[in-house]
Amino acid sequence: MPCFKQPKHFQSLILLHWPLSYLALFWIVQPLFIYLLFTSLWLLPALYFAWLFLDWKTPEQGGRRSTWVRNWYVWTQIRDYFPITILKTKDLSPEHNYLMGVHPHGLLTFGAFCNFCTEATGFSKIFPGITPHLATLSWFFKIPLIRDYLMAKGVCSVSQPAIDYLLSHGTGNLVGIVVGGVGEALQSVPNATTLILQKRKGFVRTALQHGAHLVPTFTFGETEVYEQVLFQKDSWMYKFQSCFRRLFGFYCCVFYGRGFSRGSAGLLPYPLPITTVVGEPLPVPKIEKPSQEMVDKYHTLYMEALHKLFDQHKTLLGCSKTQKLLFL
């Protein structure tokens, strides 16, 4: 039985970074705001809804990041729980914009969250002059308060207008996209190094349209911190997951980690090392209307660069020498 350290900060670890908690808050905050409209405190929700109306397009226009939020002390506690680290292989010039592929998705994407949405691992010092943005579901930016919290961390909408805005306004912007998405999350199990990437070419087309350099990343240990129950495609649970995904845009899965007491199962992730390796940027020409052949060419180059990045670091970061990176 592995000997794990005690999870001192499990409240912040789970609640501040769990998509289902955002959904729960949606069903709590929305009715609460409407209820308050009919009380003596009606002015508070009225002012916020007015602000929400005026601020509606901000998530697609660069967001509103907060250095204070990104430097909250709680992020360092999350970092130290696993621990989470970031490894740079090449400098990123502030004179360019970058589109970064984040792999693998894992269940809760702890590595990308801690490394790119906070300053817990010192991103700004490691990559001076670079402003990171991690793209997530547009749906989250429609939830009162949650949208403000996400924007404060530098999270942006994964919508095309939001990404186009960041890649066309100034330089030094790094936009991270979790390419594998929900499909990859539902296949996330320990020791898995299979990525959904072969047919995911939209991010390459966007990079070409803006001349944004492609940056491959791989987070070792991301899939190790939770166990997931996988269901057969003909099972009712798999059909429920598919229905849930269509309705809400994200996944509902059955997973478990460790509990509060040693040796027990629960919702806490296993405290195992997570390391995000940021690869060398792949220069991309700016082509307003790239052909499919051009997209295929740079998509192939990107996959080769990602494969090389994985092979160069796998034995140093917990994978066996025979472990293969597979693309679906």
Side-chain angles (χ1 to χ4, degrees), residues 185-261:
L186 289 173
Q187 298 178 14
S188 177
V189 292
N191 301 316
T193 51
T194 299
L195 306 179
I196 297 180
L197 182 59
Q198 280 193 351
K199 296 181 180 180
R200 302 288 174 94
K201 301 180 180 181
F203 73 105
V204 177
R205 183 179 299 277
T206 298
L208 284 164
Q209 290 171 339
H210 294 277
H213 294 189
L214 288 166
V215 179
T217 71
F218 193 92
T219 300
F220 291 87
E222 186 68 58
T223 61
E224 308 302 313
V225 297
Y226 276 121
E227 303 278 357
Q228 181 178 187
V229 180
L230 301 182
F231 299 96
Q232 297 294 328
K233 290 187 176 181
D234 59 350
S235 68
W236 69 268
M237 188 59 189
Y238 183 88
K239 295 176 181 177
F240 170 77
Q241 288 178 318
S242 300
C243 180
F244 189 95
R245 175 181 173 180
R246 288 193 298 269
L247 287 174
F248 299 105
F250 61 94
Y251 53 95
C252 174
C253 54
V254 178
F255 65 94
Y256 62 93
R258 63 162 304 184
F260 299 145
S261 60

Side-chain angles (χ1 to χ4, degrees), residues 33-292:
F33 272 34
I34 294 173
Y35 167 76
L36 290 176
L37 285 172
F38 299 94
T39 70
S40 59
L41 299 175
W42 65 270
L43 187 59
L44 293 178
L47 288 174
Y48 184 83
F49 282 131
W51 162 253
L52 189 63
F53 175 77
L54 296 173
D55 195 56
W56 191 252
K57 293 185 178 181
T58 299
E60 295 188 348
Q61 296 178 348
R64 183 174 51 253
R65 66 200 299 117
S66 167
T67 301
W68 174 66
V69 172
R70 288 175 57 85
N71 282 279
W72 278 355
Y73 177 70
V74 67
W75 309 140
T76 64
Q77 305 308 301
I78 294 177
R79 174 200 66 195
D80 295 339
Y81 175 87
F82 291 97
I84 296 174
T85 55
I86 186 170
L87 177 61
K88 177 177 72 172
T89 60
K90 293 289 182 178
D91 290 330
L92 299 181
S93 170
E95 297 180 0
H96 301 288
N97 284 326
Y98 303 90
L99 195 56
M100 174 178 65
V102 177
H103 313 277
H105 187 293
L107 280 174
L108 295 182
T109 324
F110 284 115
F113 160 75
C114 197
N115 287 315
F116 305 125
C117 301
T118 80
E119 288 296 328
T121 56
F123 181 92
S124 295
K125 295 179 180 178
I126 297 172
F127 296 101
I130 302 298
T131 304
H133 304 267
L134 185 64
T136 191
L137 294 173
S138 304
W139 191 86
F140 291 147
F141 294 93
K142 295 177 173 59
I143 306 176
L145 302 181
I146 289 297
R147 65 190 298 276
D148 303 290
Y149 161 71
L150 291 174
M151 284 193 290
K153 294 193 301 180
V155 179
C156 69
S157 168
V158 78
S159 68
Q160 193 66 48
I163 296 173
D164 288 339
Y165 184 95
L166 290 169
L167 296 180
S168 60
H169 286 72
T171 59
N173 289 311
L174 173 71
V175 181
I177 298 177
V178 189
V179 182
V182 176
E184 197 170 277
L186 289 173
Q187 298 178 14
S188 177
V189 292
N191 301 316
T193 51
T194 299
L195 306 179
I196 297 180
L197 182 59
Q198 280 193 351
K199 296 181 180 180
R200 302 288 174 94
K201 301 180 180 181
F203 73 105
V204 177
R205 183 179 299 277
T206 298
L208 284 164
Q209 290 171 339
H210 294 277
H213 294 189
L214 288 166
V215 179
T217 71
F218 193 92
T219 300
F220 291 87
E222 186 68 58
T223 61
E224 308 302 313
V225 297
Y226 276 121
E227 303 278 357
Q228 181 178 187
V229 180
L230 301 182
F231 299 96
Q232 297 294 328
K233 290 187 176 181
D234 59 350
S235 68
W236 69 268
M237 188 59 189
Y238 183 88
K239 295 176 181 177
F240 170 77
Q241 288 178 318
S242 300
C243 180
F244 189 95
R245 175 181 173 180
R246 288 193 298 269
L247 287 174
F248 299 105
F250 61 94
Y251 53 95
C252 174
C253 54
V254 178
F255 65 94
Y256 62 93
R258 63 162 304 184
F260 299 145
S261 60
R262 185 169 300 176
S264 64
L267 291 179
L268 293 175
Y270 298 122
L272 301 173
I274 295 176
T275 302
T276 299
V277 183
V278 181
E280 180 178 359
L282 174 65
V284 171
K286 185 175 182 179
I287 305 174
E288 185 175 350
K289 296 182 179 179
S291 64
Q292 187 59 50

Side-chain angles (χ1 to χ4, degrees), residues 281-323:
L282 174 65
V284 171
K286 185 175 182 179
I287 305 174
E288 185 175 350
K289 296 182 179 179
S291 64
Q292 187 59 50
E293 290 75 17
M294 187 63 70
V295 173
D296 292 342
K297 172 186 174 181
Y298 280 93
H299 184 261
T300 299
L301 290 174
Y302 176 83
M303 288 196 298
E304 291 174 352
L306 180 59
H307 206 290
K308 179 180 178 182
L309 183 72
F310 176 81
D311 286 342
Q312 287 177 337
H313 296 87
K314 63 182 181 181
T315 56
L316 299 174
L317 296 171
C319 293
S320 67
K321 187 176 181 180
T322 58
Q323 189 81 22

